[in-house]
């Protein structure tokens, strides 16, 4: 046990211990909302309304029409390890609710100003109980229909250090919408409504089937394209709605796993799902799917994580086999969207880079003059320093020999004066595109290339809300978008300068990249995050074959940027090997 040598061991004050325990369960505002929502569903709610004022950490309310709490039990609901969900230790092995830790409401109350109002069925009136940082006020009578309302205000008001690690309010709200979507799919028989600052964001009436609920969430057109998968094995029961290969996304955000109605994260289920799709998807793309898995409670441990994000299966192999096998069945009739490699001469499925990126001869899309390799003006490139500019001067090869080579369709080898430069083609193109997009976002608006046939993008609800938030930035970049009916969007034009074969896919990838809050603070420039996401998803990939002309253009464009050393994520774009070092390695020094 860790022990400070100069301090005695002592019990922490109850208030301090409560706040520490609360931090294990309530990591962020979303965690608090999730716990309250799960309690409402466990109470048998058939109508749930969530209201948010300003932001989740400022104030949120969850009102339900569930069983309610008797007046004499209301204070117990805010005590640790008091519950109606279990009676004995053995009950933990056969939980049929959304989980139990006995600390949810008390943990929230310890770090917020919480108001609990409830009326049990048959009671003449409701009762209200208030808590401030865990300190209770006397209960009072209130007017309310049977059910419960929980109001959480000023979350983390007494733990200000936790606020430093919170993401932006808009990002937290998008995450909350994603969670509400998941539980709406888990409980299609329950109506869900979200109101933010007095404006209704959505209202999903009770549905008769999961596909009907999916249509309410994502639109009838997208829901109608989903493939159904069903299967059972050794007491396990699976139902799934699978997206087509063209629905695949750049992240796993489109995957919803519901195990005994619990919304969880599971690398095992994700891997099984990916195996079911096989070669229908290229590397780096993830299938969109919703899985409902029913497991006998005795073969499932739901308390392996403080926030119940994960579960442990008694038999991983049985679960993996059921999911991979059952989901593969409706996918067998689909053909791969690319040509299989034969005899070492692959036929291209993706458009070549030269077809995707159009530029005027001698210019980038930013209008920067591009010096030819080895020319006198190459030394004057606007690089970060002289070392970065030096590789731009490539050695002139003998007549008829290539001056650049592509290694494993991933790296570009360029002889330079005094050595060799090796470029990562994806990282290099990311740097080029990032600076181009930043120039458009903070300069003159980019032109829009109108599509001959407008494309439809079926977004998720949180993607659609993010799209509205990013609207001015996307328009500045050159996107021409029109909402068809939430969450479907019509793409009428794309940023000029790029030939985008799959505008809907690129738009979804952009939104996924921006919504990924990993490493992004609450005050980071949203435009910069958009530019980084665009560069990442529009850049050439490892495995893309490039011609001599394409490689020359990329090398020249990289060393015309302000920071050619690294891509927007900080990864190295090129390394240089000096000729003297090569001589030493071969014993020539």
């Amino acid at each position: 046990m860790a022990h400070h040598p100069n301090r005695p061991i002592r019990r922490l004050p109850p208030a301090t211990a409560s706040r520490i325990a609360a931090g294990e369960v309530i990591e962020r505002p979303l965690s608090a909302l999730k716990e309250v929502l799960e309690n409402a569903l466990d109470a048998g709610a058939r109508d749930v309304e969530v209201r948010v004022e300003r932001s989740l950490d400022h104030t949120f309310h969850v009102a339900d029409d569930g069983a309610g709490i008797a007046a004499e039990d209301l204070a117990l609901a805010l005590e640790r390890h008091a519950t109606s969900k279990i009676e004995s230790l053995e009950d933990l092995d056969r939980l049929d609710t959304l989980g139990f830790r006995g600390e949810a409401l008390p943990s929230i109350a310890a770090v917020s100003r919480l108001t609990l109002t409830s009326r049990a069925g048959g009671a003449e009136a409701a009762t209200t109980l208030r808590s401030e940082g865990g300190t209770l006020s006397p209960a009072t009578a209130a007017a309310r229909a049977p059910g419960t309302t929980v109001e959480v205000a000023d979350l983390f008001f007494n733990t200000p250090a936790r606020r430093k690690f919170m993401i932006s309010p808009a990002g937290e709200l998008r995450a909350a919408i994603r969670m509400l979507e998941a539980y709406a799919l888990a409980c299609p028989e329950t109506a869900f409504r979200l109101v933010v600052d007095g404006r209704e964001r959505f209202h999903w009436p009770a549905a008769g089937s999961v596909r009907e609920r999916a249509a309410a969430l994502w639109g009838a057109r997208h829901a109608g394209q989903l493939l159904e998968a069903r299967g059972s094995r050794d007491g396990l029961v699976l139902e799934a709605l699978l997206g087509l290969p063209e629905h695949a996304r750049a992240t796993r955000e489109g995957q919803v796993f519901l195990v005994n109605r619990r919304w969880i994260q599971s690398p095992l289920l994700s891997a099984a799902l990916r195996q079911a799709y096989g070669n229908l998807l290229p590397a780096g793309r993830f299938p969109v799917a919703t899985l409902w898995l029913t497991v006998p409670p005795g073969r499932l441990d739901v308390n392996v994580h403080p926030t119940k994000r994960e579960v442990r299966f008694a038999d991983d192999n049985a679960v993996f086999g059921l999911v991979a096998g059952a989901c593969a069945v409706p996918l067998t009739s689909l053909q791969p969207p690319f040509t299989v490699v034969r005899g070492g001469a692959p036929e291209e499925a993706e458009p070549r880079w030269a077809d995707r990126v159009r530029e005027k001869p001698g210019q980038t899309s930013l209008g920067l003059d591009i010096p030819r390799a080895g020319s006198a003006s190459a030394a004057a490139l606007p690089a970060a320093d002289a070392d970065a500019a030096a590789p731009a001067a490539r050695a002139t090869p003998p007549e008829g020999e290539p001056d650049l080579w592509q290694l494993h369709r991933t790296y570009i080898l360029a002889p330079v004066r005094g050595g060799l430069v090796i470029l990562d083609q994806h990282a290099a193109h990311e740097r080029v595109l990032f600076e181009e997009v930043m120039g458009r976002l903070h300069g003159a608006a980019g032109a829009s290339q109108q599509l001959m046939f407008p494309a439809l993008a079926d977004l998720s609800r949180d993607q659609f809300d993010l799209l509205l938030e990013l609207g001015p930035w996307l328009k500045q970049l050159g996107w021409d978008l029109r909402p068809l009916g939430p969450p479907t969007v019509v793409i009428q034009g794309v940023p000029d300068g790029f030939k985008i074969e799959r505008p809907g896919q690129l738009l979804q990838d952009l939104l996924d990249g921006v919504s990924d809050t990993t490493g992004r603070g609450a005050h980071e420039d949203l435009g910069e995050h958009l530019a980084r996401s665009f560069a990442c998803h529009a850049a050439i990939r490892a495995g893309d074959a490039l011609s001599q002309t394409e490689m020359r253009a990329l090398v020249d464009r990289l060393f015309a940027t302000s920071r050619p050393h690294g891509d927007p994520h900080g990864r190295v774009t090129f390394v240089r090997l000096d000729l003297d070092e090569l001589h030493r390695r071969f014993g020539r020094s």
Side-chain angles (χ1 to χ4, degrees):
M1 181 178 70
H3 173 55
H4 194 289
N6 300 319
R7 296 178 185 172
I9 297 175
R10 58 185 182 274
R11 291 187 178 91
L12 290 172
T16 302
S18 293
R19 292 183 193 177
I20 293 173
E24 296 178 358
V25 179
I26 310 302
E27 301 174 318
R28 52 192 282 201
L30 179 67
S31 305
L33 177 60
K34 179 176 182 287
E35 295 287 355
V36 175
L37 178 65
E38 288 178 342
N39 280 343
L41 296 173
D42 278 341
R46 289 297 178 266
D47 196 307
V48 175
E49 180 180 88
V50 178
R51 287 183 174 269
V52 179
E53 297 174 11
R54 290 173 54 180
S55 63
L56 281 177
D57 61 303
H58 181 270
T59 306
F60 72 80
H61 312 242
V62 177
D64 68 65
D65 64 346
I69 305 171
E72 61 270 20
D73 292 339
L74 211 58
L76 274 175
L78 296 181
E79 286 189 16
R80 292 192 181 280
H81 308 299
T83 183
S84 62
K85 298 183 181 181
I86 66 169
E87 294 182 357
S88 65
L89 183 63
E90 289 73 22
D91 289 343
L92 287 174
D93 295 328
R94 47 178 180 264
L95 280 174
D96 58 1
T97 64
L98 291 177
F100 164 72
R101 300 202 64 85
E103 300 180 63
L105 277 181
S107 294
I108 298 169
V111 291
S112 71
R113 295 182 173 92
L114 183 145
T115 302
L116 178 61
T117 303
S118 190
R119 177 182 172 185
E124 294 183 356
T127 303
T128 293
L129 190 63
R130 291 181 173 84
S131 166
E132 182 165 339
T135 302
L136 298 183
S137 299
T140 59
R144 193 201 188 283
T148 302
T149 299
V150 179
E151 175 188 307
V152 178
D154 299 328
L155 193 60
F156 304 130
F157 80 96
N158 54 359
T159 53
R162 185 165 291 274
R163 290 180 173 272
K164 298 177 182 178
F165 301 96
M166 290 169 53
I167 64 173
S168 68
E172 195 74 359
L173 182 60
R174 288 194 299 272
I177 292 173
R178 195 156 52 241
M179 180 195 68
L180 289 169
E181 279 192 347
Y183 279 110
L185 289 164
C187 306
E189 71 280 0
T190 300
F192 289 81
R193 183 171 182 251
L194 174 64
V195 178
V196 179
D197 293 332
R199 183 173 70 88
E200 181 176 279
R201 299 293 287 270
F202 60 72
H203 183 201
W204 301 321
S209 66
V210 292
R211 189 178 286 275
E212 182 182 339
R213 176 51 57 86
L217 267 59
W218 306 318
R221 174 180 174 273
H222 178 72
Q225 295 176 325
L226 301 177
L227 304 175
E228 291 187 15
R230 298 178 186 273
S232 61
R233 174 185 298 180
D234 300 330
L236 306 173
V237 180
L238 174 72
E239 182 178 0
L241 289 179
L242 308 175
L244 299 176
E246 54 265 35
H247 297 156
R249 292 166 63 171
T251 70
R252 295 182 178 87
E253 290 294 328
Q255 298 177 1
V256 179
F257 301 133
L258 303 165
V259 177
N260 293 1
R261 296 194 312 145
R262 310 170 204 275
W263 178 46
I264 67 161
Q265 298 172 352
S266 174
L268 175 74
L269 294 180
S270 185
L273 183 64
R274 185 62 182 84
Q275 177 162 310
Y277 277 78
N279 64 355
L280 290 172
L281 296 179
R285 305 296 299 178
F286 300 94
V288 169
T290 301
L291 272 58
W292 291 263
L293 183 63
T294 302
V295 181
R299 296 166 60 185
L300 184 72
D301 185 354
V302 301
N303 286 310
V304 298
H305 193 279
T307 62
K308 299 177 290 184
R309 282 198 302 252
E310 302 171 7
V311 297
R312 181 183 292 123
F313 300 105
D315 188 345
D316 284 353
N317 291 334
V319 172
F320 187 97
L322 171 62
V323 173
C327 291
V329 172
L331 295 168
T332 53
S333 61
L334 302 178
Q335 295 298 320
F338 48 86
T339 304
V340 178
V341 175
R342 294 187 178 87
E347 298 179 22
E348 296 175 18
E350 298 288 338
R352 292 169 65 84
W353 180 50
D355 296 329
R356 295 202 299 268
V357 181
R358 297 184 293 104
E359 55 181 301
K360 298 177 181 178
Q363 280 193 326
T364 66
S365 300
L366 283 175
L368 297 174
D369 290 334
I370 297 195
R372 294 302 308 152
S375 67
S377 57
L381 288 171
D385 52 44
D387 289 339
R394 296 200 300 275
T396 302
E399 185 69 24
E401 290 188 13
D403 59 345
L404 298 170
W405 294 267
Q406 190 182 27
L407 179 64
H408 297 305
R409 295 188 174 184
T410 300
Y411 301 103
I412 298 173
L413 278 58
V416 296
R417 296 169 185 170
L420 174 72
V421 166
I422 305 175
L423 287 82
D424 180 319
Q425 63 188 40
H426 176 69
H429 198 206
E430 272 201 68
R431 165 53 59 183
V432 170
L433 295 182
F434 175 76
E435 296 207 1
E436 177 178 345
V437 172
M438 287 296 289
R440 292 189 182 190
L441 295 181
H442 297 285
S448 178
Q449 177 185 342
Q450 295 298 300
L451 300 179
M452 182 176 296
F453 301 103
L456 294 180
D458 295 310
L459 308 178
S460 63
R461 184 69 52 164
D462 62 297
Q463 284 180 322
F464 185 81
D465 285 346
L466 178 58
L467 183 77
L468 298 180
E469 184 182 350
L470 291 173
W473 293 106
L474 293 170
K475 183 177 181 181
Q476 179 78 6
L477 182 55
W479 288 91
D480 186 357
L481 307 171
R482 297 289 185 274
L484 179 63
T488 301
V489 174
V490 179
I491 305 174
Q492 295 182 321
V494 296
D496 190 30
F498 305 90
K499 183 179 179 182
I500 300 172
E501 296 291 334
R502 300 179 179 89
Q505 176 179 305
L506 178 57
L507 182 62
Q508 286 195 325
D509 290 350
L510 282 179
L511 296 172
D512 284 343
V514 176
S515 66
D516 180 5
T517 55
T518 303
R520 181 163 68 97
H523 305 293
E524 181 174 328
D525 180 76
L526 194 59
E528 182 175 338
H529 206 58
L530 172 63
R532 189 178 294 117
S533 180
F534 185 96
C536 178
H537 296 295
I540 59 174
R541 301 284 175 185
D544 286 352
L546 305 179
S547 67
Q548 282 288 310
T549 301
E550 293 163 353
M551 288 190 286
R552 290 192 195 103
L554 180 56
V555 172
D556 290 341
R557 294 177 76 191
L558 173 64
F559 292 106
T561 63
S562 63
R563 297 181 180 179
H565 284 103
D567 72 0
H569 307 285
R571 294 187 292 259
V572 173
T573 56
F574 71 90
V575 294
R576 173 170 178 153
L577 297 178
D578 289 333
L579 193 58
D580 291 342
E581 173 64 19
L582 292 174
H583 286 333
R584 283 195 296 271
R585 286 179 176 269
F586 285 98
R588 290 178 176 270
S589 57

